Amino acid sequence: MGKVYYVSKNVGLGMLVLAVAALATIIALSIAYDKERAKNRGKPGDEATDSTSMPPPPTTPFIPKEPWDHYRLPDSLVPLSYNVTLWPRLEPDARGMFVFTGHSAVVFRCVKETDLIIIHSNKLNLTTFYGHHAKLTGLGKATVPTIQKSWLVVKTEYLVLQLHSRLAVGSLYLLYTEFLGELADDLQGFYRSEYIEDGVKKVVATSQMQATYARKTFPCFDEPAMKAVFNVIIIHDRATVALSNGRDIGSNHDPVTKGNPQTFVTTFEPTERMSTYLLAFIVSDFLSNSLQVRIWARRKAIADRQGDYALSVTGPILQFYEHYYNATYPLSKSDQIALPDFNAGAMENWGLITYRETALLYDPMLSSTGNKERVTTVISHELAHMWFGNLVTLQWWNDLWLNEGFASYVEYLGADYAEPTWNIKDQIILSDVHKVFAVDALASSHPLSRREEEVNNPAEISEMFNTISYSKGAAVLRMLSEFLTEPVFAKGLSSYLNTFAFNNTVYTDLWDHLQKAVENTPGMHIPHTVHNIMNHWTLQMGFPVVTIDTRTGSITQKHFLLDPDSVVDRPSQFKRKDFLPYDQMRVSGEDWVLANTNVSGYFRVNYDLYNWDRLLSLLSTNHQALSIINRAQIIDDTFNLARAKIISTTLALRTTKYLSKERDYIPWDSALRNLDYYILMFDRTEVYGALQAYLKKQIQPLFEHFKTITANWTKVPTKHTDQYNQINAVGYACGMGVEGCRELIKSWYRQWMENPHHNPIHPNLKSTVYCSAIAFGGVEEWDFAWRMFKNATLASEASRLRAAMSCTKAPWLLNRYLEYTLDPTKIRKQDATSTIQYVARNIVGMPLAWNFVRARWGYIFQYGKGSFSFSNLINGITKRFSSEFELQELKKFKEENLHVGFGSATLALEQAIEKTTANIKWVTENKAHVLKWFTEESK
Ligand SMILES: *[C@@H]1O[C@H](CO)[C@@H](O)[C@H](O)[C@H]1NC(C)=O
Ligand SMILES: *[C@@H]1O[C@H](CO)[C@@H](O)[C@H](O)[C@H]1NC(C)=O
Ligand SMILES: *[C@@H]1O[C@H](CO)[C@@H](O)[C@H](O)[C@H]1NC(C)=O
Ligand SMILES: *[C@@H]1O[C@H](CO)[C@@H](O)[C@H](O)[C@H]1NC(C)=O
Ligand SMILES: *[C@@H]1O[C@H](CO)[C@@H](O)[C@H](O)[C@H]1NC(C)=O
Ligand SMILES: *[C@@H]1O[C@H](CO)[C@@H](O)[C@H](O)[C@H]1NC(C)=O
Ligand SMILES: [Zn+2]
């Protein structure tokens, strides 16, 4: 963090970089942490007073009586190893059901005297032995208590054995179970994925254990700190291949099903000591493209070499992490597999990482630059977990933010190593920092860190997988790494990983090791401990806005809230803080100050109006005097400061005036994201005409620029980010009605319709072209897209077409498409919510999608249970909500469906209500002068 801020004094002096001590002040002291408030956090009743703006109370104060009514395992038994055998059937049984059978023996140690064995088991039919669901034996000389009774607890997902006498502390026991489960298409636990290849339907047995689904595969102590060694055996047809976390150490005919030469038994090497949520079991007829580092996919995808790119970046990224962590790759092999049905983007199972096809497969002829970047960053993210998360695992899910935030930060470092020309590290500003600022500025946000007792049941655990955990986690770790400097950060990290290898930690263990690294670095001094500094950012929600008055040199800070009225009833969690004036901050004449360069700090910056004017005038005369990131930062900060009523809306809009000269992607994208809010708020009002005219005027030069540098659209820009910027230029130019744009697009799509075997559209532009052509076309264009969608063999192509079909303006086509989303033979379950969101993004589709969802919430909630991202669905549909009427509808929706519930969308629904309220206010206050400004500026 050598450059938290710099000051331009005058031309002769150039830029003055301030000393580390002053920089540290901003990071370490800019938020005064209110300790009283923190202590009270989470106390029952605290939240109840303000239920509309706080997340739902994380725990019920009710303390269950019986140990099996607790969601957390008792601490009396500790597993050491499991022998698990699984046999998935890829053909339906006589009932038409897909099932798997298996048996498991777990060796555990008793560490506290108990006459109860409580182990997770969910949706498994267990074989009984003399009336009990398991057999218990002892290892060594321990006498073995007999089982008095056994039963299943559905709510807490346990198998419970009551023993006649107690287990002896220190002794080892073995619990044996046999079970039958359904190999359902629910994307959880051991499940099946189906696809059609060469006209034949094929079935894959695969798994997703995170967070709480290993217990749906075999009875196990299913908590991340219950690490054990797993000896896995998979029984399968000889025409298929079985994969698991470890290397396979031999396949043989099955002695159990002897007589059937078709059946194989594959045995895997024992795993390292690991958590259950990282297990993976897969049976398929897939092929792979190499030896110990393998990419697996459907046969046709491998034959088309769609796995080659993934393989080519995996090696370099693994090398990068070995060097960065100063620790060798902990396993003997690395498998990565692309699955037709997969709920998340990817899952970091140790040694056998699972992906959606779009996140692993890449076709140089058919995929876009964006597809390629996604493959690189997702691989980089998952490989980062092989050490951070898998080798060393957080004790419990409350610390998920550290695991995910960490991987979301270092994924940029790994990807940058594999693709050094992309400048990908800059993109964390758009994809994480600015993205999470938007969420973390709401009063309904929550702190990164939660206490262990606040996160118990599976729904609470899955709510942890949110933007705050991933993106704020990434942003504050990046800040810390740049603050401590990367070598010191990496040194602490390496010591942390080596100390806790194969074991579990809490987040403060990392701070301790970083602190040690600081202390062991000669000459390094930080004003507070890592622990104290990071508490400011992890224990309280939100972030500050730092205000610099360049007339006096004074710096102040306060909690930044998008809606400044949203906290009136509650004590602020941030103390307002004034700093002594800094001489370096006092400027006059033409000089300007710009703070938080690189956006390393997790805060926004405001200035006095004189300094803003000087920055705006610099942008209009010589924007390249500021770095690309800083240009984007000025835009994003002003737009958000205006939303929070700290500066005027006009001042924010003025930052877009220089864009007619801007050719770089990141500032443009930042502006378009912010103007998107204006489009959403006003595209149903009279403001839209003037807005469109202004944006058309601003984007036109960019459109012409790309027309020139691509020789009339016949070439592809060479720079990675130029390729993205071209997509924005074409998309917005067509949307705003720039001359020649729509005709160009229609002619490309028309050519493709005339010759479906030859698609003349460059992959980068396909999304934009498909969407525009379908928007300006009719049923013929739509039906053609549907046929191409059904025929697509590359997942990313299918996903582009799926998005584009939502662009039509014909209500009947949109309604028909919405119906398709609940028919798994038309739209895969994993894609249903995003498809509905795409429809809602369309101005014509929004009311249709909203009616569709509220009319059928009960059904959708059941249909999508476990696989739908309900929170994204609610966010997507309510994005445009900005009238009192819509707010009432939303509240009614909440009331009427309380009995159904909202699952993972509970918090999102509260946020939607808060955001709609803020939108109403904003539109009322801003409509008139926004209209006036756009009207004047578009002349
Ligand atoms: C588990 O499997 C290992 C390796 O195959 C074997 O040595 C061991 O005896 C088995 N343990 C039990 C309890 O079945
Ligand atoms: C488990 O048992 C129940 C009750 O007998 C039955 O309905 C269910 O189908 C069984 N599950 C499987 C996968 O066979
Ligand atoms: C890397 O690890 C080796 C062996 O564990 C150790 O000697 C060395 O100091 C480490 N290097 C850094 C930079 O931490
Ligand atoms: C894991 O860490 C705990 C606490 O630091 C320690 O007591 C235990 O011995 C470690 N276990 C292993 C297997 O390293
Ligand atoms: C692009 O097209 C214009 C006319 O349509 C023509 O004048 C110009 O030479 C073309 N440029 C290139 C590089 O082909
Ligand atoms: C549809 O897919 C088949 C099989 O991949 C392919 O041979 C055919 O050319 C495709 N049809 C079109 C119109 O692209
Ligand atoms: Zn992750």
Side-chain angles (χ1 to χ4, degrees):
M1 173 145 319
K3 299 182 291 179
V4 173
Y5 50 79
Y6 57 73
V7 182
S8 157
K9 278 291 198 185
N10 59 44
V11 185
L13 269 178
M15 288 161 191
L16 172 65
V17 179
L18 294 183
V20 171
L23 313 181
T25 310
I26 291 282
I27 299 297
L29 301 179
S30 65
I31 305 181
Y33 180 53
D34 184 335
K35 293 196 179 60
E36 273 321 294
R37 177 72 194 165
K39 259 190 281 171
N40 294 335
R41 196 164 49 82
K43 226 170 55 183
D46 212 4
E47 289 84 357
T49 53
D50 195 10
S51 62
T52 54
S53 56
M54 288 294 285
T59 31
T60 43
F62 168 72
I63 308 287
K65 260 203 317 278
E66 303 294 354
W68 51 82
D69 290 330
H70 287 262
Y71 282 102
R72 295 294 301 272
L73 290 167
D75 55 3
S76 42
L77 308 176
V78 176
L80 301 180
S81 69
Y82 294 79
N83 284 11
V84 191
T85 299
L86 293 170
W87 185 9
R89 311 300 202 284
L90 303 189
E91 302 279 347
D93 65 12
R95 300 171 293 175
M97 190 187 268
F98 288 82
V99 301
F100 64 92
T101 53
H103 52 88
S104 166
V106 52
V107 175
F108 62 87
R109 170 177 286 125
C110 172
V111 293
K112 273 194 188 160
E113 220 176 43
T114 180
D115 59 359
L116 272 181
I117 296 176
I118 298 185
I119 185 168
H120 284 107
S121 178
N122 184 23
K123 297 196 174 140
L124 295 171
N125 288 356
L126 298 168
T127 306
T128 50
F129 306 97
Y130 307 105
H132 303 308
H133 295 88
K135 279 197 267 197
L136 180 67
T137 49
L139 295 184
K141 280 182 245 129
T143 49
V144 186
T146 49
I147 302 172
Q148 185 192 339
K149 59 175 179 167
S150 73
W151 68 99
L152 296 160
V153 185
V154 173
K155 179 158 177 262
T156 45
E157 306 177 343
Y158 286 135
L159 161 63
V160 185
L161 308 177
Q162 173 69 60
L163 308 177
H164 275 118
S165 59
R166 295 184 169 188
L167 298 169
V169 171
S171 293
L172 298 183
Y173 301 90
L174 188 149
L175 188 74
Y176 177 82
T177 50
E178 274 180 25
F179 46 87
L180 165 73
E182 185 182 356
L183 197 67
D185 59 355
D186 58 356
L187 314 179
Q188 299 176 339
F190 207 18
Y191 72 92
R192 76 177 193 279
S193 171
E194 296 180 356
Y195 62 100
I196 293 173
E197 195 162 73
D198 297 329
V200 181
K201 183 169 131 183
K202 295 192 167 176
V203 177
V204 178
T206 182
S207 65
Q208 165 65 30
M209 303 311 188
Q210 195 183 34
T212 55
Y213 306 122
R215 62 189 72 167
K216 195 168 157 279
T217 308
F218 63 102
C220 55
F221 297 94
D222 196 12
E223 294 192 355
M226 294 284 185
K227 288 195 174 185
V229 170
F230 296 83
N231 298 289
V232 176
I233 291 176
I234 296 180
I235 302 175
H236 59 102
D237 190 280
R238 68 177 297 165
T240 60
V241 58
L243 301 172
S244 188
N245 304 77
R247 211 156 27 89
D248 94 55
I249 49 175
S251 296
N252 285 302
H253 293 296
D254 181 9
V256 181
T257 54
K258 47 186 168 295
N260 184 353
Q262 287 311 311
T263 310
F264 254 49
V265 173
T266 297
T267 306
F268 298 89
E269 66 178 347
T271 67
E272 300 291 350
R273 221 174 93 79
M274 65 181 282
S275 305
T276 47
Y277 82 89
L278 294 167
L279 289 168
F281 312 112
I282 301 177
V283 174
S284 70
D285 79 340
F286 285 13
L287 292 179
S288 76
N289 57 5
S290 62
L291 289 174
Q292 290 313 312
V293 174
R294 297 180 294 191
I295 307 293
W296 296 85
R298 287 178 291 104
R299 287 169 174 257
K300 190 148 189 337
I302 292 296
D304 289 349
R305 316 197 61 138
Q306 291 175 16
D308 290 11
Y309 178 70
L311 185 65
S312 76
V313 292
T314 297
I317 293 174
L318 284 174
Q319 262 173 21
F320 170 80
Y321 286 129
E322 288 196 326
H323 179 76
Y324 179 69
Y325 293 133
N326 192 21
T328 52
Y329 178 69
L331 306 178
S332 60
K333 62 101 165 158
S334 159
D335 281 323
Q336 300 180 86
I337 186 165
L339 295 159
D341 296 282
F342 190 74
N343 198 31
M347 175 64 211
E348 71 267 22
N349 313 302
W350 216 9
L352 175 50
I353 309 174
T354 44
Y355 293 83
R356 250 183 204 221
E357 290 195 347
T358 48
L360 190 67
L361 303 181
Y362 171 79
D363 183 317
M365 301 306 291
L366 301 175
S367 303
S368 68
T369 302
N371 298 145
K372 189 174 190 174
E373 186 183 300
R374 176 159 154 83
V375 168
T376 320
T377 52
V378 179
I379 290 178
S380 183
H381 178 106
E382 303 309 329
L383 293 179
H385 279 309
M386 297 301 110
W387 291 261
F388 200 100
N390 296 9
L391 178 64
V392 179
T393 311
L394 274 317
Q395 178 88 11
W396 185 243
W397 301 106
N398 62 311
D399 279 345
L400 180 84
W401 72 271
L402 182 58
N403 192 24
E404 290 307 344
F406 185 88
S408 303
Y409 164 52
V410 299
E411 71 180 61
Y412 291 96
L413 310 186
D416 182 57
Y417 183 81
E419 293 287 359
T421 64
W422 287 0
N423 269 333
I424 195 161
K425 286 196 216 167
D426 283 357
Q427 286 192 44
I428 194 172
I429 304 305
L430 293 174
S431 313
D432 291 291
V433 183
H434 287 171
K435 177 174 148 196
V436 73
F437 269 165
V439 184
D440 206 17
L442 300 177
S444 57
S445 187
H446 60 83
L448 269 179
S449 187
R450 289 220 167 154
R451 287 181 301 135
E452 191 168 338
E453 319 80 83
E454 293 176 349
V455 180
N456 290 294
N457 65 44
E460 286 162 0
I461 294 168
S462 75
E463 225 172 59
M464 300 301 294
F465 291 80
N466 60 34
T467 309
I468 297 282
S469 296
Y470 280 75
S471 296
K472 183 175 182 177
V476 302
L477 288 165
R478 171 172 172 269
M479 171 167 71
L480 180 61
S481 171
E482 295 194 12
F483 174 66
L484 298 178
T485 72
E486 197 176 295
V488 174
F489 186 78
K491 206 162 80 181
L493 189 59
S494 157
S495 133
Y496 165 87
L497 291 171
N498 285 309
T499 306
F500 298 105
F502 308 108
N503 214 334
N504 295 81
T505 54
V506 292
Y507 75 94
T508 50
D509 290 327
L510 179 61
W511 300 164
D512 291 344
H513 283 260
L514 292 172
Q515 181 67 31
K516 245 190 285 172
V518 168
E519 285 160 13
N520 293 337
T521 304
M524 179 144 193
H525 171 75
I526 57 175
H528 290 269
T529 61
V530 170
H531 204 104
N532 284 341
I533 292 171
M534 292 314 285
N535 278 351
H536 300 330
W537 305 99
T538 61
L539 298 183
Q540 59 185 351
M541 69 178 209
F543 56 89
V545 49
V546 173
T547 301
I548 299 173
D549 189 329
T550 61
R551 292 162 304 176
T552 60
S554 83
I555 304 177
T556 56
Q557 66 91 28
K558 66 170 186 174
H559 184 186
F560 180 80
L561 282 162
L562 205 52
D563 178 358
D565 303 332
S566 58
V567 282
V568 280
D569 296 335
R570 293 199 296 137
S572 166
Q573 293 186 37
F574 292 79
K575 252 190 221 144
R576 196 190 156 90
K577 178 123 183 145
D578 299 322
F579 300 94
L580 291 175
Y582 285 86
D583 269 347
Q584 293 98 323
M585 293 297 171
R586 189 160 39 215
V587 294
S588 61
E590 296 291 295
D591 295 343
W592 44 267
V593 169
L594 187 77
N596 198 15
T597 61
N598 259 340
V599 197
S600 316
Y602 188 69
F603 50 82
R604 292 198 181 279
V605 190
N606 186 25
Y607 310 94
D608 58 288
L609 287 176
Y610 300 95
N611 194 57
W612 275 125
D613 274 338
R614 289 187 293 256
L615 286 172
L616 287 184
S617 113
L618 183 68
L619 280 180
S620 69
T621 53
N622 181 17
H623 65 271
Q624 283 170 334
L626 297 176
S627 76
I628 291 174
I629 288 189
N630 288 149
R631 271 132 61 193
Q633 175 211 7
I634 288 177
I635 294 168
D636 199 66
D637 277 352
T638 53
F639 270 85
N640 285 280
L641 291 168
R643 285 280 298 280
K645 294 195 242 176
I646 295 172
I647 63 170
S648 70
T649 301
T650 327
L651 176 54
L653 287 170
R654 280 167 62 206
T655 63
T656 67
K657 284 182 69 173
Y658 93 98
L659 287 174
S660 53
K661 290 189 231 142
E662 178 63 85
R663 300 288 176 265
D664 269 300
Y665 165 67
I666 292 182
W668 255 113
D669 202 62
S670 182
L672 292 172
R673 284 174 193 221
N674 282 297
L675 286 169
D676 231 34
Y677 180 69
Y678 286 62
I679 294 176
L680 285 171
M681 290 302 105
F682 293 128
D683 65 1
R684 297 174 291 174
T685 75
E686 64 191 310
V687 178
Y688 195 58
L691 188 162
Q692 214 175 10
Y694 173 71
L695 199 45
K696 177 179 169 186
K697 184 175 131 191
Q698 296 301 83
I699 199 97
Q700 178 127 21
L702 194 67
F703 181 76
E704 300 299 338
H705 166 74
F706 281 110
K707 185 174 175 183
T708 309
I709 72 164
T710 61
N712 292 336
W713 314 109
T714 58
K715 292 198 190 122
V716 181
T718 38
K719 219 168 94 185
H720 183 69
T721 47
D722 276 354
Q723 297 188 22
Y724 289 158
N725 210 17
Q726 182 195 17
I727 299 167
N728 275 343
V730 172
Y732 279 85
C734 281
M736 300 301 132
V738 168
E739 213 70 35
C741 190
R742 293 182 186 177
E743 291 66 26
L744 181 71
I745 276 186
K746 278 196 206 163
S747 81
W748 284 338
Y749 196 78
R750 182 55 56 185
Q751 284 172 43
W752 187 31
M753 283 177 69
E754 279 159 12
N755 184 0
H757 295 284
H758 178 75
N759 186 340
I761 309 161
H762 189 275
N764 282 351
L765 294 177
K766 279 178 176 175
S767 292
T768 305
V769 171
Y770 295 173
C771 175
S772 302
I774 288 169
F776 305 132
V779 61
E780 215 186 317
E781 281 77 9
W782 202 98
D783 285 347
F784 176 74
W786 179 256
R787 280 200 303 281
M788 293 299 106
F789 170 68
K790 289 317 259 183
N791 204 45
T793 52
L794 181 69
S796 54
E797 177 70 4
S799 115
R800 280 193 280 268
L801 286 160
R802 187 166 57 79
M805 285 183 284
S806 72
C807 297
T808 176
K809 305 289 181 208
W812 72 273
L813 286 175
L814 289 166
N815 272 329
R816 185 178 70 176
Y817 197 30
L818 285 169
E819 295 296 336
Y820 288 4
T821 62
L822 298 185
D823 177 350
T825 65
K826 291 200 161 68
I827 300 287
R828 286 180 187 275
K829 253 185 178 179
Q830 65 176 10
D831 297 327
T833 37
S834 61
T835 307
I836 299 171
Q837 276 167 260
Y838 294 145
V839 173
R841 169 74 225 199
N842 177 341
I843 183 165
V844 182
M846 189 211 72
L848 307 178
W850 173 222
N851 287 340
F852 179 77
V853 167
R854 58 181 165 157
R856 286 191 236 180
W857 180 254
Y859 179 76
I860 293 173
F861 194 62
Q862 277 313 314
Y863 178 76
K865 213 157 207 171
S867 61
F868 275 24
S869 167
F870 292 115
S871 58
N872 285 348
L873 185 64
I874 297 294
N875 281 339
I877 287 185
T878 58
K879 264 208 162 75
R880 235 188 222 97
F881 280 17
S882 51
S883 69
E884 193 56 43
F885 179 67
E886 282 160 337
L887 178 64
Q888 293 317 319
E889 283 188 329
L890 193 55
K891 288 183 171 165
K892 203 163 126 221
F893 169 69
K894 185 183 158 190
E895 293 297 307
E896 285 173 355
N897 290 288
L898 280 175
H899 65 287
V900 178
F902 302 98
S904 56
T906 310
L907 180 56
L909 191 58
E910 294 307 328
Q911 287 175 341
I913 290 172
E914 188 186 340
K915 281 192 243 177
T916 305
T917 310
N919 289 346
I920 295 170
K921 240 190 294 182
W922 187 83
V923 168
T924 313
E925 286 163 10
N926 288 284
K927 191 170 170 189
H929 49 265
V930 168
L931 175 59
K932 181 157 169 278
W933 194 87
F934 280 131
T935 308
E936 274 164 16
E937 292 300 329
S938 57
K939 281 192 192 122

